[in-house]
Amino acid sequence: MRIISGFLFSLLSASLLLTPQFANAEPVAEQQAEKNVLAIVLKTRVTRADVMPSEKERKEIKAQAKESYGEMLNYLIRVNASNRIYELVLNDYAAQKGITLNQALVSKFTEKFGDQFSGEGASKSIEEVAAKQVMQYQAEKAMFKEFGGRVIFRQSNPQMPIDAYKALLSGYRESGQLQIVDKDLEDAFWSVFTPPFQYEIAPENIDFSQPWWI
């Protein structure tokens, strides 16, 4: 009986020692997940994993950047996260305005750039890229009509209504629908809207009557 009692006591002691570890496992995992959250947009979490460049891209970056790899990787993560924020907000804005995808423009984009997405290494299909570009154009056209302001040239967007973007995004932030959790991302994200701008388009040259690729 003493042996059995001692054995039971040992099991109980072990369970008391192990229980706190298992009890803390979930909060630790949750805390780690929270650290990886860069932003919350319309209740959607944008995490570091979501915007991490692919393994192939990371290898290419490492080969080129060498000692500056970490810095370059973090820069690309911020760029990808910013683009994800734009995408989520634009899609919501388009839905609110009742904007539907212009299939004729999608076809024109596909015809013009289809050859560039025919390789096996393409991460997205031409149809996906075309739909995204057309919806972006349609939303930006509506934004500029609503908010006006300055328009700038960027390599990734030849006609970006920068002031309209700032007005729209600020509205989402003030309503609590856009929260940028990561401080470095927050600073980089909002700095884009601070003048002076390198390439500001003259008002007389602004034209949203058709997309830049036509």
Side-chain angles (χ1 to χ4, degrees):
M1 289 294 294
R2 289 180 180 177
I3 295 174
I4 294 174
S5 298
F7 179 68
L8 289 173
F9 177 77
S10 298
L11 283 177
L12 288 171
S13 299
S15 66
L16 288 172
L17 290 171
L18 290 172
T19 299
Q21 295 178 15
F22 285 110
N24 289 333
E26 188 173 346
V28 168
E30 289 178 356
Q31 290 172 10
Q32 188 61 37
E34 288 294 333
K35 287 182 180 179
N36 290 326
V37 174
L38 302 176
I40 303 173
V41 187
L42 298 158
K43 298 182 180 180
T44 297
R45 293 186 175 193
V46 178
T47 68
R48 188 177 176 87
D50 293 333
V51 296
M52 178 70 68
S54 67
E55 184 177 354
K56 179 183 177 183
E57 290 170 334
R58 293 199 302 273
K59 286 181 179 178
E60 292 174 352
I61 296 166
K62 194 167 188 177
Q64 295 175 9
K66 297 180 180 179
E67 292 83 3
S68 303
Y69 170 70
E71 183 180 347
M72 181 59 70
L73 180 63
N74 286 330
Y75 168 76
L76 289 175
I77 287 172
R78 290 195 295 270
V79 170
N80 291 345
S82 296
N83 288 336
R84 179 61 177 149
I85 292 171
Y86 292 146
E87 182 180 11
L88 289 167
V89 170
L90 282 186
N91 287 344
D92 184 70
Y93 177 74
Q96 288 184 32
K97 296 297 180 181
I99 299 172
T100 56
L101 190 64
N102 187 319
Q103 292 297 338
L105 290 179
V106 171
S107 296
K108 289 182 179 180
F109 186 96
T110 303
E111 290 170 7
K112 186 165 185 175
F113 298 104
D115 293 342
Q116 298 180 26
F117 292 84
S118 58
E120 294 181 1
S123 59
K124 293 184 178 180
S125 68
I126 181 60
E127 290 78 15
E128 289 179 277
V129 175
K132 183 177 178 180
Q133 286 292 325
V134 170
M135 182 53 71
Q136 178 179 317
Y137 157 70
Q138 291 180 265
E140 289 179 348
K141 180 179 180 180
M143 283 165 51
F144 183 72
K145 183 178 180 180
E146 180 175 355
F147 300 108
R150 290 164 292 188
V151 176
I152 65 172
F153 171 87
R154 298 180 73 182
Q155 191 170 4
S156 59
N157 188 351
Q159 192 169 240
M160 181 179 184
I162 193 72
D163 286 339
Y165 262 106
K166 184 178 181 180
L168 180 67
L169 291 164
S170 295
Y172 275 75
R173 177 178 59 179
E174 290 164 9
S175 66
Q177 295 177 299
L178 168 57
Q179 302 172 51
I180 301 180
V181 179
D182 183 84
K183 186 65 169 61
D184 290 337
L185 174 60
E186 182 181 32
D187 292 343
F189 184 86
W190 292 109
S191 68
V192 170
F193 306 101
T194 304
F197 304 112
Q198 188 172 7
Y199 300 111
E200 186 175 337
I201 300 174
E204 62 270 19
N205 294 329
I206 298 172
D207 183 10
F208 282 95
S209 62
Q210 61 183 16
W212 59 267
W213 64 83
I214 293 180

